[in-house]
Amino acid sequence: MGLLYLGTPLTWDEAKQYADHVREHGITQFLHTWDRVKDRCGDELLWGDEVEYMVVTFDDEEKNAKLSLRQTEILAKLSQVVGDLTNDDTPALMTVPTFHPEYGRYMLESTPGSPYTGSIPDLLSVETNMHYRRTLARKHLKANEIPFTFTCFPRLGTRGVFTEPHFSSDDAKSSHSLFLPEEITNPHARFPTLTANIRSRRGSKVAINLPIFIDERTPRPFVDPTIPWQRSIYPEDPEAKNGAALIDHIYMDAMGFGMGCCCLQLTFQSCNVDEARRMYDALVPVGPIMLALTAASPAWRGYLADVDCRWNVIAGSVDDRTPEERGLKPSKDNYIIPKSRYDSVDLYISNDWTNKPEYNDAPAPYNKGIFQRLRNHGIDEMLAKHIAHLFIRDPVVIFSETINQDDIISNDHFENIQSTNWQTIRFKPPPPNSPIGWRVEFRSMEVQMTDFENAAFAVFIVLLSRAILAFNLNFYIPISKVDQNMARAQRRDAARSGKFYFRKDVLPPGHETLTISPPSCSGSCSPVEGAPMKEKLLRNCFPPVPRPSHMDDGPIEDEYEEMTVEEIFVGKGSKFPGLLGVVEAYIDALDVDEEDRLQISKYLDLVRRRSLQTPATWIRNFVRSHPSYNRDSVVSQEINYDLMVAVDEIERGVRHVPELLPEDYTPNNGYHSKPDSPA
């Protein structure tokens, strides 16, 4: 979550008058950034993770696990504690962590106090770092409160008591929700304003419908008896009975159902802008696969759903498109916008020769005036179209105090649009007056229940990102196939039984084996000339492969095929060694001692095993095998309580789940830095 302004937010009727102003000055700010850093090269690999928690309070007497709405108080306490800590109080190789607010008043976000570098000790300090952050948070909660890394609270929005303290949804002033009280939302003015303005711009409440999981006693057709069909408080209350709530579906009607989910995100600094664009494109097809592999959210609003992931819920929860933009009403003045502003990537952006025009085959409307302005400034067509596509959106939160800015030293108008385009991958220009370089953010993964799992996926993605660059791998498939993969990734048991489009030949032309490129920007990159063959650091600055002078391009359709998740990870055919195969080949090129390699292997083994059972499958099985489950798709208060108790026991190592975690799993049993390890 970015900087939260203290100011006066504008209602949608007020804000929409400044939409063109924000877009115009946002592009001016981007162009100032571009002119300043377009030629910047040689930045080392710095990276970090963001882990989101939900704080749950336990009422053992009533057997009720509820969301604790004490975020403001908890963060104030943690801020004071963290401010008093020194590096002497933290584990080796770490700086004091930071905690941030999130949309839900029960949520916390944590990040390392400083970025990780490309060193092996840094790579293997991730689990310890995550564990330390969780321990620090837990230490400063009430005795009956626990910070969970859990994607979706199963009883958010139920008819019963699901928050502490309890509030009524009758006073949901910003969302007008039938299910969520106003108090579920972070009280900072940005969040209720964002909620209200999305609803106002859309012209109705958001409408999210997940297919219900049909069990033996699930009523058919399923018409949800917990929806207050006849409520008449807000103008939108009749929407549910007028068709917004679908039969045989779980209906949700507020931003909080999506933005109240927790996830795991990673951000990498690149060598230069071109490498960032190549990294962005390469990770686009990986996003849906990692969503399927980390699936962890099969229960919503007190019911089991027939999906396993959060993505479409969040996409629906912030879908501010008007009926005209959704193509429901004719209009000459508006774009038809195919997707919500929270969705999968619409355009590849690299200028590399491997990025063929045919890959960008999905509709991606863009602001033609902004596109031409960017082109006139010298921005290439690919990047100009990407920015102009983001800028078809309106700014949905504007503070009156920030309308007029110095476009040379500020990028707030640019970020107003950029940061509310929530896509699977985000391309991030350097901020003004900062040493930070060009970055790429990987955003599709669901958060896992333990620090070991979250560290495993973080380590895997950072190693995969280096392997892609080091071996100059080509993962391009048409964007339309990536979109299909996103839909497939969310289906029940997709990681085990689903199939996904993936590229058959990922090696550079003429290569039969994985070969590491020498460094570019050699004056600034590691290793330098004369360094040993095995590298001690994960690095940036890998030059692209030039296009061969003679190369026959066949049909795009011959470049990819459907594969299982297992095949995508372990390989299929001689030209595709699998994602784990390329990562393991990259590790072989590093100077890693036996103990460190063993720990990395534990992480990779977890990733490998997830194609057999995901947390979503485990949660669904837990609910369905609970003694009080009536095989009617209902996740009762008692089941939810026992589920959250079980998840806490798993995280603490009290309950063993060999179907999910290694037999020898104990909390933070990962790498502990040696006293003499270099930073």
Side-chain angles (χ1 to χ4, degrees):
M1 182 57 60
L3 177 66
L4 297 180
Y5 290 108
L6 295 175
T8 309
L10 304 182
T11 66
W12 174 242
D13 283 340
E14 297 167 333
K16 64 184 179 183
Q17 304 172 47
Y18 296 100
D20 287 335
H21 172 89
V22 170
R23 276 189 286 264
E24 177 187 353
H25 286 272
I27 294 301
T28 300
Q29 292 170 2
F30 172 75
L31 292 175
H32 280 300
T33 295
W34 178 260
D35 290 341
R36 178 173 55 87
V37 293
K38 67 180 186 296
D39 297 321
R40 174 173 174 159
C41 185
D43 283 324
E44 66 175 310
L45 172 63
L46 298 174
W47 66 284
D49 68 77
E50 298 175 24
V51 176
E52 294 169 343
Y53 307 85
M54 56 180 65
V55 179
V56 175
T57 182
F58 285 87
D59 183 339
D60 297 330
E61 189 172 318
E62 295 291 330
K63 279 192 169 292
N64 195 5
K66 299 171 285 186
L67 295 168
S68 172
L69 303 184
R70 296 197 313 113
Q71 181 196 75
T72 303
E73 181 183 341
I74 293 167
L75 283 174
K77 183 179 290 187
L78 282 172
S79 176
Q80 180 180 0
V81 169
V82 167
D84 292 339
L85 291 175
T86 67
N87 283 333
D88 293 339
D89 302 314
T90 61
L93 298 181
M94 271 187 236
T95 52
V96 177
T98 54
F99 293 89
H100 317 270
E102 257 297 344
Y103 179 91
R105 202 180 292 202
Y106 52 87
M107 299 172 70
L108 309 173
E109 178 186 279
S110 79
T111 56
S114 58
Y116 305 117
T117 69
S119 75
I120 302 301
D122 263 18
L123 182 73
L124 293 178
S125 72
V126 174
E127 185 182 348
T128 305
N129 196 305
M130 290 179 176
H131 180 73
Y132 176 55
R133 284 178 265 160
R134 187 193 297 265
T135 301
L136 198 60
R138 188 164 186 154
K139 188 183 298 184
H140 295 91
L141 298 177
K142 292 181 178 179
N144 65 335
E145 290 178 331
I146 294 173
F148 283 88
T149 45
F150 202 75
T151 300
C152 166
F153 190 70
R155 286 184 57 81
L156 177 68
T158 58
R159 188 179 279 175
V161 176
F162 60 89
T163 65
E164 178 61 44
H166 171 68
F167 296 96
S168 169
S169 62
D170 289 352
D171 194 32
K173 296 176 182 176
S174 59
S175 70
H176 295 182
S177 175
L178 296 170
F179 312 108
L180 298 184
E182 185 71 12
E183 291 80 5
I184 207 80
T185 306
N186 183 318
H188 187 282
R190 167 181 166 82
F191 298 100
T193 302
L194 187 62
T195 305
N197 286 3
I198 284 174
R199 174 178 51 78
S200 296
R201 189 187 188 283
R202 177 184 169 91
S204 64
K205 288 191 295 184
V206 298
I208 307 154
N209 285 279
L210 294 182
I212 194 160
F213 174 76
I214 303 298
D215 215 331
E216 295 172 14
R217 298 176 186 166
T218 306
R220 300 299 307 275
F222 172 75
V223 180
D224 188 353
T226 70
I227 296 175
W229 297 99
Q230 304 306 321
R231 194 182 81 170
S232 183
I233 298 174
Y234 298 106
E236 300 93 342
D237 282 355
E239 289 177 3
K241 64 183 177 183
N242 290 342
L246 302 181
I247 302 301
D248 288 336
H249 284 71
I250 305 164
Y251 170 63
M252 293 169 279
D253 67 347
M255 186 173 172
F257 285 107
M259 286 301 191
C261 294
C262 297
C263 65
L264 168 67
Q265 297 170 345
L266 304 170
T267 300
F268 313 95
Q269 179 174 261
S270 295
C271 174
N272 53 43
V273 63
D274 290 336
E275 188 169 280
R277 291 167 68 174
R278 284 193 288 140
M279 185 80 271
Y280 177 97
D281 282 9
L283 289 175
V284 167
V286 177
I289 313 306
M290 296 309 298
L291 176 62
L293 205 68
T294 57
S297 44
W300 299 85
R301 212 170 56 70
Y303 294 105
L304 285 176
D306 205 33
V307 299
D308 279 357
C309 299
R310 79 197 189 285
W311 194 267
N312 281 353
V313 175
I314 312 183
S317 77
V318 293
D319 190 356
D320 68 335
R321 293 174 299 161
T322 64
E324 292 82 5
E325 290 167 340
R326 283 177 276 151
L328 302 178
K329 291 183 180 180
S331 173
K332 296 179 181 178
D333 302 324
N334 294 88
Y335 303 101
I336 290 180
I337 303 177
K339 298 178 183 177
S340 167
R341 63 199 300 152
Y342 195 117
D343 220 305
S344 55
V345 167
D346 291 315
L347 291 165
Y348 293 115
I349 64 174
S350 175
N351 256 340
D352 195 79
W353 64 269
T354 55
N355 182 13
K356 301 175 185 178
E358 296 91 333
Y359 297 139
N360 281 327
D361 67 334
Y366 60 94
N367 186 308
K368 292 180 173 55
I370 286 175
F371 173 78
Q372 195 56 53
R373 184 181 170 197
L374 293 166
R375 294 289 286 130
N376 292 343
H377 195 86
I379 307 292
D380 62 87
E381 182 175 346
M382 301 294 294
L383 186 56
K385 193 167 285 188
H386 166 73
I387 299 295
H389 173 61
L390 299 182
F391 272 64
I392 63 173
R393 309 289 180 176
D394 282 335
V396 281
V397 177
I398 300 174
F399 289 87
S400 61
E401 293 84 353
T402 66
I403 291 171
N404 297 308
Q405 301 176 8
D406 184 337
D407 293 336
I408 296 176
I409 63 173
S410 174
N411 71 341
D412 291 343
H413 283 322
F414 174 77
E415 283 298 328
N416 192 320
I417 305 288
Q418 155 95 347
S419 66
T420 54
N421 275 272
W422 297 281
Q423 298 182 334
T424 43
I425 315 293
R426 181 176 283 160
F427 172 72
K428 304 177 76 169
N433 305 311
S434 167
I436 297 172
W438 296 93
R439 292 151 297 149
V440 174
E441 183 179 17
F442 189 79
R443 300 171 44 81
S444 67
M445 292 188 291
E446 309 229 304
V447 77
Q448 308 293 283
M449 293 184 282
T450 69
D451 300 317
F452 173 78
E453 296 164 281
N454 288 317
F457 282 109
V459 167
F460 171 74
I461 291 295
V462 73
L463 288 172
L464 178 63
S465 75
R466 298 311 95 191
I468 290 169
L469 293 172
F471 299 131
N472 269 294
L473 302 179
N474 180 353
F475 285 176
Y476 281 113
I477 60 173
I479 284 285
S480 62
K481 297 304 178 187
V482 178
D483 287 346
Q484 290 183 46
N485 284 349
M486 282 298 293
R488 294 179 179 192
Q490 299 172 70
R491 294 175 184 167
R492 176 164 51 90
D493 204 26
R496 188 179 64 87
S497 59
K499 285 198 171 185
F500 298 86
Y501 294 102
F502 213 81
R503 191 176 181 89
K504 294 188 287 187
D505 181 0
V506 301
L507 302 178
H511 285 65
E512 299 295 327
T513 59
L514 296 164
T515 306
I516 286 192
S517 304
S520 61
C521 303
S522 58
S524 306
C525 302
S526 176
V528 295
E529 186 177 355
M533 292 276 298
K534 293 223 171 198
E535 301 182 0
K536 293 183 177 294
L537 290 175
L538 285 63
R539 62 173 168 93
N540 285 332
C541 305
F542 295 94
V545 170
R547 181 183 175 90
S549 54
H550 299 288
M551 182 175 172
D552 295 326
D553 288 328
I556 294 292
E557 292 74 20
D558 291 345
E559 296 178 357
Y560 58 87
E561 65 179 347
E562 290 181 291
M563 301 184 195
T564 65
V565 168
E566 184 178 17
E567 289 170 336
I568 290 170
F569 277 86
V570 303
K572 184 179 183 182
S574 61
K575 296 289 189 178
F576 182 49
L579 301 184
L580 284 166
V582 299
V583 165
E584 286 166 346
Y586 176 68
I587 297 169
D588 287 340
L590 297 174
D591 185 5
V592 183
D593 67 32
E594 187 175 341
E595 181 185 352
D596 293 344
R597 181 65 185 259
L598 179 62
Q599 184 58 35
I600 293 173
S601 295
K602 288 183 178 180
Y603 293 144
L604 299 186
D605 285 343
L606 177 88
V607 173
R608 183 179 288 107
R609 287 156 49 107
R610 278 297 151 88
S611 64
L612 301 177
Q613 184 170 133
T614 61
T617 299
W618 184 88
I619 293 166
R620 189 185 305 279
N621 290 343
F622 181 95
V623 171
R624 297 188 71 210
S625 61
H626 193 279
S628 70
Y629 178 64
N630 292 323
R631 310 199 76 77
D632 56 359
S633 311
V634 174
V635 182
S636 68
Q637 176 178 305
E638 180 186 356
I639 294 173
N640 184 63
Y641 173 86
D642 288 342
L643 171 64
M644 301 311 289
V645 168
V647 172
D648 176 50
E649 290 175 347
I650 290 169
E651 192 280 319
R652 291 187 291 113
V654 175
R655 177 185 292 239
H656 295 282
V657 282
E659 63 272 32
L660 273 185
L661 294 166
E663 287 279 1
D664 62 347
Y665 166 75
T666 55
N668 197 35
N669 69 342
Y671 175 87
H672 292 270
S673 57
K674 309 176 189 72
D676 57 349
S677 294

